[in-house]
Amino acid sequence: MRNRYLDLLRFLAIVRVVVYHVTGLASLTLVFPAMSVMFALAGSLMAASLDRSGVPAVGRRLRRLLPSLWVVAAVFVPAMLLTGLVFTPRVVLWLFPVADPPANYWGGLALSPIWYLRDYLWFVLVSPVALWLFRRAPLPTLAAPYLLLIAIEADLFTTTSAVLQHFGLYFGAWLLGFAHHDGLLRRLAGRVLVPAALLLAGVGAGWILTHPGPRGYDLNDIPLGNALWSAAFILVVIGRAPATAAWVDRNLIVSRLVTIVNRRALTVYLWHMPFVVALTPLVGLVGWSPRDPWGLAIRVVLVFLLVGVVTLLVGWVEDVAARRRPELVPGRRPARPVPATPVVPAPRTPGADTVEIRAR
Protein backbone atom coordinates (compact mmCIF):
# COMPACT_ATOMS: atom_id res chain seq x y z
CA MET A 1 0.00 0.00 0.00
CA ARG A 2 1.39 3.41 -0.99
CA ASN A 3 2.48 5.82 1.70
CA ARG A 4 0.60 9.00 0.84
CA TYR A 5 3.01 11.09 2.89
CA LEU A 6 5.85 10.08 0.55
CA ASP A 7 3.57 10.79 -2.41
CA LEU A 8 2.97 14.26 -0.96
CA LEU A 9 6.72 14.85 -0.65
CA ARG A 10 7.26 13.87 -4.28
CA PHE A 11 4.40 16.16 -5.34
CA LEU A 12 5.91 19.09 -3.42
CA ALA A 13 9.37 18.35 -4.83
CA ILE A 14 8.13 18.38 -8.45
CA VAL A 15 6.15 21.59 -7.93
CA ARG A 16 9.15 23.21 -6.25
CA VAL A 17 11.43 22.29 -9.16
CA VAL A 18 9.08 23.86 -11.70
CA VAL A 19 8.57 27.04 -9.66
CA TYR A 20 12.32 27.37 -9.10
CA HIS A 21 13.11 27.06 -12.81
CA VAL A 22 10.57 29.76 -13.63
CA THR A 23 11.49 32.19 -10.86
CA GLY A 24 15.14 31.39 -10.15
CA LEU A 25 14.59 32.07 -6.44
CA ALA A 26 17.67 30.69 -4.64
CA SER A 27 15.79 30.58 -1.32
CA LEU A 28 13.62 27.75 -2.67
CA THR A 29 16.64 25.44 -2.79
CA LEU A 30 17.25 26.04 0.91
CA VAL A 31 13.64 25.77 2.01
CA PHE A 32 13.09 22.51 0.11
CA PRO A 33 16.10 20.72 -1.47
CA ALA A 34 13.84 18.98 -3.95
CA MET A 35 16.32 17.02 -6.05
CA SER A 36 17.87 15.28 -3.04
CA VAL A 37 14.42 14.46 -1.70
CA MET A 38 13.47 12.95 -5.07
CA PHE A 39 16.62 10.81 -5.11
CA ALA A 40 15.98 9.66 -1.54
CA LEU A 41 12.42 8.62 -2.39
CA ALA A 42 13.67 6.86 -5.53
CA GLY A 43 16.32 5.04 -3.50
CA SER A 44 13.68 3.78 -1.08
CA LEU A 45 11.54 2.51 -3.97
CA MET A 46 14.56 0.88 -5.61
CA ALA A 47 15.43 -1.01 -2.43
CA ALA A 48 11.84 -2.23 -2.21
CA SER A 49 11.96 -3.40 -5.84
CA LEU A 50 15.23 -5.25 -5.28
CA ASP A 51 13.76 -7.00 -2.24
CA ARG A 52 10.75 -8.11 -4.28
CA SER A 53 12.45 -9.09 -7.53
CA GLY A 54 16.21 -9.13 -7.07
CA VAL A 55 18.49 -7.97 -9.90
CA PRO A 56 15.68 -8.10 -12.53
CA ALA A 57 14.28 -5.04 -10.74
CA VAL A 58 17.00 -3.02 -12.51
CA GLY A 59 15.49 -3.83 -15.90
CA ARG A 60 11.99 -3.09 -14.66
CA ARG A 61 13.07 0.28 -13.27
CA LEU A 62 14.79 1.22 -16.54
CA ARG A 63 11.70 0.15 -18.46
CA ARG A 64 9.69 2.65 -16.44
CA LEU A 65 12.32 5.38 -16.75
CA LEU A 66 13.30 5.46 -20.42
CA PRO A 67 10.08 5.56 -22.53
CA SER A 68 9.20 9.08 -21.35
CA LEU A 69 12.69 10.20 -22.37
CA TRP A 70 12.26 8.57 -25.79
CA VAL A 71 9.10 10.58 -26.37
CA VAL A 72 10.98 13.80 -25.62
CA ALA A 73 13.86 12.70 -27.87
CA ALA A 74 11.47 11.88 -30.72
CA VAL A 75 10.27 15.49 -30.66
CA PHE A 76 13.42 17.46 -29.87
CA VAL A 77 16.30 15.52 -31.46
CA PRO A 78 14.99 15.98 -35.03
CA ALA A 79 14.29 19.65 -34.23
CA MET A 80 17.87 20.11 -33.00
CA LEU A 81 19.31 18.30 -36.01
CA LEU A 82 17.40 20.71 -38.25
CA THR A 83 18.71 23.72 -36.32
CA GLY A 84 22.42 23.07 -36.15
CA LEU A 85 23.08 19.92 -34.14
CA VAL A 86 25.69 17.81 -35.91
CA PHE A 87 24.74 14.16 -36.21
CA THR A 88 27.33 11.93 -34.52
CA PRO A 89 27.19 8.49 -32.90
CA ARG A 90 26.71 10.25 -29.55
CA VAL A 91 23.11 10.97 -30.56
CA VAL A 92 22.39 7.41 -29.43
CA LEU A 93 22.83 8.68 -25.86
CA TRP A 94 19.30 10.05 -26.18
CA LEU A 95 18.18 6.43 -25.99
CA PHE A 96 20.33 5.47 -22.99
CA PRO A 97 21.90 8.55 -21.36
CA VAL A 98 24.85 7.17 -19.41
CA ALA A 99 26.50 10.50 -20.32
CA ASP A 100 25.10 13.86 -21.35
CA PRO A 101 23.53 13.46 -24.80
CA PRO A 102 24.48 16.06 -27.43
CA ALA A 103 22.37 19.17 -27.92
CA ASN A 104 22.57 22.49 -29.71
CA TYR A 105 22.33 25.82 -27.87
CA TRP A 106 18.59 26.09 -27.38
CA GLY A 107 18.27 22.33 -26.84
CA GLY A 108 20.93 22.42 -24.14
CA LEU A 109 18.83 24.95 -22.24
CA ALA A 110 15.42 23.41 -22.86
CA LEU A 111 16.56 19.87 -22.08
CA SER A 112 19.00 20.64 -19.28
CA PRO A 113 17.05 18.53 -16.71
CA ILE A 114 18.24 15.39 -18.56
CA TRP A 115 21.08 15.20 -16.02
CA TYR A 116 18.54 13.86 -13.50
CA LEU A 117 17.78 10.86 -15.70
CA ARG A 118 21.49 10.33 -16.31
CA ASP A 119 22.17 10.17 -12.58
CA TYR A 120 19.02 8.12 -11.92
CA LEU A 121 20.11 5.60 -14.54
CA TRP A 122 23.56 5.18 -12.98
CA PHE A 123 22.13 4.91 -9.46
CA VAL A 124 19.74 2.18 -10.61
CA LEU A 125 22.53 0.26 -12.32
CA VAL A 126 24.75 0.21 -9.21
CA SER A 127 21.92 -0.33 -6.72
CA PRO A 128 22.16 -4.15 -6.41
CA VAL A 129 25.81 -3.90 -5.32
CA ALA A 130 25.22 -0.74 -3.29
CA LEU A 131 22.32 -2.29 -1.36
CA TRP A 132 24.41 -5.40 -0.66
CA LEU A 133 27.24 -3.23 0.69
CA PHE A 134 24.87 -0.97 2.62
CA ARG A 135 23.31 -3.87 4.51
CA ARG A 136 26.72 -5.20 5.53
CA ALA A 137 28.39 -1.89 6.38
CA PRO A 138 25.74 0.86 6.59
CA LEU A 139 27.81 3.73 7.96
CA PRO A 140 30.92 3.32 5.76
CA THR A 141 28.75 2.88 2.66
CA LEU A 142 26.64 5.92 3.55
CA ALA A 143 29.73 8.01 4.26
CA ALA A 144 31.44 7.11 0.98
CA PRO A 145 29.59 9.57 -1.32
CA TYR A 146 30.16 12.46 1.08
CA LEU A 147 33.86 11.62 1.40
CA LEU A 148 34.05 11.48 -2.39
CA LEU A 149 32.48 14.93 -2.63
CA ILE A 150 34.89 16.31 -0.02
CA ALA A 151 37.81 14.90 -2.03
CA ILE A 152 36.45 16.56 -5.18
CA GLU A 153 36.00 19.88 -3.39
CA ALA A 154 39.58 19.61 -2.09
CA ASP A 155 40.84 19.17 -5.70
CA LEU A 156 42.29 15.74 -4.97
CA PHE A 157 41.19 14.67 -8.47
CA THR A 158 42.88 16.20 -11.49
CA THR A 159 39.75 15.77 -13.59
CA THR A 160 36.22 14.98 -12.46
CA SER A 161 33.30 13.94 -14.64
CA ALA A 162 29.81 15.26 -13.97
CA VAL A 163 28.67 11.70 -13.23
CA LEU A 164 31.35 11.21 -10.56
CA GLN A 165 30.60 14.56 -8.95
CA HIS A 166 26.90 13.78 -8.83
CA PHE A 167 27.63 10.43 -7.21
CA GLY A 168 29.16 12.46 -4.41
CA LEU A 169 26.36 15.00 -4.42
CA TYR A 170 23.22 12.85 -4.71
CA PHE A 171 24.07 9.19 -4.12
CA GLY A 172 24.15 9.84 -0.37
CA ALA A 173 20.47 10.83 -0.61
CA TRP A 174 19.79 7.62 -2.58
CA LEU A 175 21.44 5.60 0.21
CA LEU A 176 19.38 7.43 2.82
CA GLY A 177 16.42 6.10 0.82
CA PHE A 178 17.82 2.61 1.40
CA ALA A 179 17.99 3.40 5.11
CA HIS A 180 14.38 4.56 5.07
CA HIS A 181 13.20 1.39 3.33
CA ASP A 182 15.09 -0.84 5.79
CA GLY A 183 13.57 1.04 8.74
CA LEU A 184 16.94 2.25 10.01
CA LEU A 185 15.88 5.90 10.09
CA ARG A 186 12.60 5.09 11.80
CA ARG A 187 14.39 3.07 14.48
CA LEU A 188 16.96 5.77 15.05
CA ALA A 189 16.33 7.30 18.45
CA GLY A 190 15.46 10.98 18.57
CA ARG A 191 18.50 11.65 20.77
CA VAL A 192 20.65 10.46 17.85
CA LEU A 193 18.67 11.64 14.83
CA VAL A 194 18.05 15.21 16.00
CA PRO A 195 21.71 16.00 16.92
CA ALA A 196 22.89 14.35 13.69
CA ALA A 197 20.48 16.46 11.64
CA LEU A 198 21.47 19.62 13.50
CA LEU A 199 25.17 18.88 13.02
CA LEU A 200 24.77 18.25 9.30
CA ALA A 201 22.61 21.34 8.88
CA GLY A 202 25.03 23.48 10.87
CA VAL A 203 28.11 22.36 8.93
CA GLY A 204 26.21 22.62 5.66
CA ALA A 205 24.94 26.12 6.45
CA GLY A 206 28.43 27.21 7.46
CA TRP A 207 29.83 25.97 4.15
CA ILE A 208 27.01 27.63 2.20
CA LEU A 209 27.54 30.98 3.91
CA THR A 210 31.30 30.92 3.37
CA HIS A 211 31.21 29.56 -0.19
CA PRO A 212 28.47 31.43 -2.07
CA GLY A 213 28.15 30.66 -5.76
CA PRO A 214 27.55 32.94 -8.73
CA ARG A 215 23.86 33.11 -7.80
CA GLY A 216 24.49 33.70 -4.12
CA TYR A 217 23.23 31.01 -1.76
CA ASP A 218 21.68 28.80 -4.42
CA LEU A 219 22.40 25.21 -3.38
CA ASN A 220 22.83 24.16 -7.00
CA ASP A 221 26.10 26.12 -7.08
CA ILE A 222 27.44 24.81 -3.74
CA PRO A 223 27.72 20.99 -3.98
CA LEU A 224 29.12 20.18 -0.54
CA GLY A 225 26.76 22.55 1.24
CA ASN A 226 23.92 21.12 -0.82
CA ALA A 227 24.75 17.51 0.12
CA LEU A 228 25.06 18.22 3.85
CA TRP A 229 22.02 20.49 4.10
CA SER A 230 19.95 18.02 2.08
CA ALA A 231 21.03 15.08 4.27
CA ALA A 232 19.80 16.95 7.35
CA PHE A 233 16.51 17.75 5.61
CA ILE A 234 16.02 14.10 4.58
CA LEU A 235 16.74 12.84 8.09
CA VAL A 236 13.91 15.00 9.41
CA VAL A 237 11.21 14.85 6.72
CA ILE A 238 11.76 11.23 5.62
CA GLY A 239 13.40 9.80 8.74
CA ARG A 240 10.28 10.63 10.70
CA ALA A 241 7.82 9.88 7.91
CA PRO A 242 4.53 8.45 9.21
CA ALA A 243 3.63 4.93 8.13
CA THR A 244 0.30 6.20 6.81
CA ALA A 245 -1.09 9.63 6.03
CA ALA A 246 -4.83 9.33 5.50
CA TRP A 247 -5.14 13.08 6.00
CA VAL A 248 -3.64 13.65 2.54
CA ASP A 249 -6.81 12.20 1.01
CA ARG A 250 -9.29 14.13 3.13
CA ASN A 251 -9.34 16.96 0.59
CA LEU A 252 -10.38 15.46 -2.74
CA ILE A 253 -8.67 18.15 -4.83
CA VAL A 254 -5.34 17.81 -3.01
CA SER A 255 -5.58 14.03 -3.13
CA ARG A 256 -6.23 14.04 -6.88
CA LEU A 257 -3.38 16.49 -7.59
CA VAL A 258 -0.94 14.40 -5.54
CA THR A 259 -1.96 11.29 -7.45
CA ILE A 260 -1.72 12.93 -10.88
CA VAL A 261 1.71 14.43 -10.29
CA ASN A 262 3.06 11.17 -8.86
CA ARG A 263 1.77 9.19 -11.84
CA ARG A 264 3.12 11.80 -14.27
CA ALA A 265 6.28 12.88 -12.44
CA LEU A 266 8.66 12.13 -15.34
CA THR A 267 6.43 13.83 -17.89
CA VAL A 268 6.14 16.98 -15.79
CA TYR A 269 9.87 17.01 -15.06
CA LEU A 270 11.01 16.46 -18.65
CA TRP A 271 8.60 18.86 -20.34
CA HIS A 272 8.48 21.84 -18.01
CA MET A 273 11.88 23.32 -18.93
CA PRO A 274 11.19 23.70 -22.68
CA PHE A 275 8.18 25.83 -21.76
CA VAL A 276 10.21 27.86 -19.27
CA VAL A 277 12.76 28.59 -22.01
CA ALA A 278 10.08 29.35 -24.60
CA LEU A 279 8.21 31.78 -22.33
CA THR A 280 11.28 33.65 -21.08
CA PRO A 281 11.49 36.00 -24.14
CA LEU A 282 7.92 37.12 -23.42
CA VAL A 283 9.21 38.98 -20.37
CA GLY A 284 10.86 41.60 -22.53
CA LEU A 285 8.11 41.69 -25.14
CA VAL A 286 5.40 42.65 -22.64
CA GLY A 287 7.62 45.01 -20.69
CA TRP A 288 8.06 43.00 -17.49
CA SER A 289 11.34 42.99 -15.63
CA PRO A 290 12.91 39.54 -15.00
CA ARG A 291 11.89 39.81 -11.34
CA ASP A 292 8.48 41.38 -11.77
CA PRO A 293 6.25 39.48 -9.28
CA TRP A 294 3.14 39.70 -11.46
CA GLY A 295 5.04 38.53 -14.51
CA LEU A 296 6.63 35.65 -12.64
CA ALA A 297 3.25 34.54 -11.30
CA ILE A 298 1.76 34.54 -14.81
CA ARG A 299 4.73 32.58 -16.18
CA VAL A 300 4.38 29.96 -13.42
CA VAL A 301 0.68 29.53 -14.23
CA LEU A 302 1.36 29.35 -17.97
CA VAL A 303 4.10 26.75 -17.55
CA PHE A 304 1.84 24.55 -15.43
CA LEU A 305 -1.01 24.92 -17.94
CA LEU A 306 1.23 23.99 -20.88
CA VAL A 307 2.71 21.06 -18.96
CA GLY A 308 -0.83 19.96 -18.18
CA VAL A 309 -1.67 19.92 -21.89
CA VAL A 310 1.42 17.86 -22.74
CA THR A 311 0.66 15.53 -19.86
CA LEU A 312 -2.76 14.86 -21.34
CA LEU A 313 -1.18 14.15 -24.73
CA VAL A 314 1.78 11.93 -23.79
CA GLY A 315 1.56 11.24 -20.06
CA TRP A 316 -0.10 7.89 -20.70
CA VAL A 317 3.34 6.63 -21.82
CA GLU A 318 4.19 6.37 -18.11
CA ASP A 319 1.21 4.06 -17.65
CA VAL A 320 2.34 1.85 -20.52
CA ALA A 321 5.91 1.79 -19.14
CA ALA A 322 4.57 0.74 -15.74
CA ARG A 323 2.22 -1.81 -17.34
CA ARG A 324 -0.83 -0.02 -16.05
CA ARG A 325 -4.02 0.63 -17.97
CA PRO A 326 -3.38 3.91 -19.89
CA GLU A 327 -5.35 6.88 -18.58
CA LEU A 328 -5.57 10.47 -19.79
CA VAL A 329 -6.06 11.70 -16.24
CA PRO A 330 -4.86 9.19 -13.65
CA GLY A 331 -6.38 8.60 -10.26
CA ARG A 332 -10.02 8.29 -11.11
CA ARG A 333 -11.92 6.34 -8.53
CA PRO A 334 -13.28 3.08 -9.89
CA ALA A 335 -17.00 3.06 -10.39
CA ARG A 336 -18.86 1.52 -7.52
CA PRO A 337 -20.45 -1.79 -8.48
CA VAL A 338 -24.22 -1.69 -8.66
CA PRO A 339 -25.53 -3.92 -5.91
CA ALA A 340 -27.50 -6.86 -7.18
CA THR A 341 -31.23 -6.69 -6.59
CA PRO A 342 -32.05 -9.25 -3.94
CA VAL A 343 -34.42 -11.97 -5.06
CA VAL A 344 -37.41 -12.05 -2.77
CA PRO A 345 -38.98 -15.50 -2.68
CA ALA A 346 -42.67 -15.63 -3.42
CA PRO A 347 -44.80 -16.04 -0.33
CA ARG A 348 -45.79 -19.57 0.34
CA THR A 349 -49.42 -20.51 0.24
CA PRO A 350 -50.51 -22.42 3.30
CA GLY A 351 -50.75 -26.07 2.49
CA ALA A 352 -48.72 -25.77 -0.74
CA ASP A 353 -46.28 -28.45 0.38
CA THR A 354 -49.11 -30.83 1.08
CA VAL A 355 -50.67 -30.18 -2.31
CA GLU A 356 -47.34 -30.82 -4.04
CA ILE A 357 -46.89 -34.13 -2.27
CA ARG A 358 -50.36 -35.20 -3.19
CA ALA A 359 -49.71 -34.29 -6.84
CA ARG A 360 -46.84 -36.73 -6.94
Side-chain angles (χ1 to χ4, degrees):
M1 186 174 181
R2 293 189 68 92
N3 186 326
R4 293 296 277 169
Y5 173 78
L6 300 183
D7 285 348
L8 177 64
L9 283 182
R10 188 179 293 104
F11 165 80
L12 294 174
I14 290 289
V15 171
R16 203 285 280 157
V17 167
V18 176
V19 174
Y20 165 77
H21 282 150
V22 176
T23 64
L25 293 176
S27 57
L28 291 175
T29 65
L30 292 163
V31 172
F32 197 102
M35 299 312 302
S36 293
V37 169
M38 288 167 64
F39 278 120
L41 294 173
S44 180
L45 290 174
M46 188 65 208
S49 296
L50 287 169
D51 283 344
R52 284 194 304 268
S53 309
V55 175
V58 172
R60 293 189 179 95
R61 188 61 54 179
L62 295 180
R63 185 198 70 217
R64 298 183 67 166
L65 178 70
L66 294 174
S68 294
L69 170 64
W70 296 339
V71 172
V72 171
V75 174
F76 286 97
V77 171
M80 289 190 293
L81 290 171
L82 291 172
T83 55
L85 177 65
V86 178
F87 183 84
T88 68
R90 286 181 57 84
V91 171
V92 76
L93 288 172
W94 282 104
L95 299 178
F96 201 75
V98 290
D100 292 328
N104 61 4
Y105 174 72
W106 66 264
L109 294 175
L111 304 174
S112 55
I114 293 296
W115 69 264
Y116 171 71
L117 271 73
R118 179 202 66 205
D119 291 356
Y120 198 120
L121 187 152
W122 275 108
F123 294 171
V124 167
L125 290 175
V126 303
S127 280
V129 174
L131 185 60
W132 183 86
L133 289 172
F134 179 80
R135 286 175 173 169
R136 282 152 183 80
L139 288 179
T141 305
L142 183 57
Y146 299 97
L147 294 176
L148 171 63
L149 188 56
I150 291 171
I152 293 172
E153 290 289 314
D155 292 326
L156 297 182
F157 295 91
T158 54
T159 59
T160 305
S161 68
V163 171
L164 186 63
Q165 185 181 47
H166 279 208
F167 258 96
L169 176 55
Y170 291 116
F171 197 59
W174 189 274
L175 294 176
L176 285 173
F178 286 179
H180 168 262
H181 168 72
D182 286 358
L184 298 180
L185 298 184
R186 186 170 56 253
R187 294 194 298 269
L188 203 60
R191 64 179 181 275
V192 176
L193 185 143
V194 173
L198 290 175
L199 177 62
L200 288 168
V203 176
W207 186 268
I208 293 165
L209 292 172
T210 55
H211 296 78
R215 293 175 289 186
Y217 300 119
D218 190 314
L219 288 189
N220 293 301
D221 301 326
I222 315 170
L224 184 56
N226 186 353
L228 296 174
W229 182 266
S230 297
F233 190 89
I234 291 167
L235 283 178
V236 174
V237 301
I238 297 181
R240 287 297 179 260
T244 58
W247 50 271
V248 174
D249 293 321
R250 287 175 188 162
N251 185 298
L252 294 180
I253 295 177
V254 172
S255 175
R256 190 70 183 278
L257 286 174
V258 169
T259 299
I260 291 172
V261 172
N262 272 267
R263 293 277 187 90
R264 299 291 183 261
L266 269 179
T267 304
V268 174
Y269 182 81
L270 289 171
W271 283 91
H272 80 277
M273 197 62 183
F275 295 126
V276 173
V277 172
L279 290 174
T280 297
L282 295 179
V283 174
L285 290 177
V286 299
W288 293 327
S289 68
R291 287 288 177 264
D292 179 76
W294 179 244
L296 287 175
I298 292 176
R299 285 169 63 198
V300 169
V301 172
L302 286 176
V303 168
F304 275 110
L305 287 175
L306 291 170
V307 169
V309 171
V310 171
T311 299
L312 285 173
L313 294 175
V314 300
W316 53 268
V317 171
E318 294 194 59
D319 291 330
V320 175
R323 296 184 177 175
R324 295 189 298 257
R325 182 174 62 86
E327 296 178 287
L328 286 180
V329 181
R332 293 180 180 176
R333 294 186 176 184
R336 293 181 179 178
V338 178
T341 304
V343 178
V344 180
R348 287 176 175 270
T349 304
D353 291 343
T354 307
V355 172
E356 184 180 358
I357 292 172
R358 287 176 181 171
R360 292 178 182 174

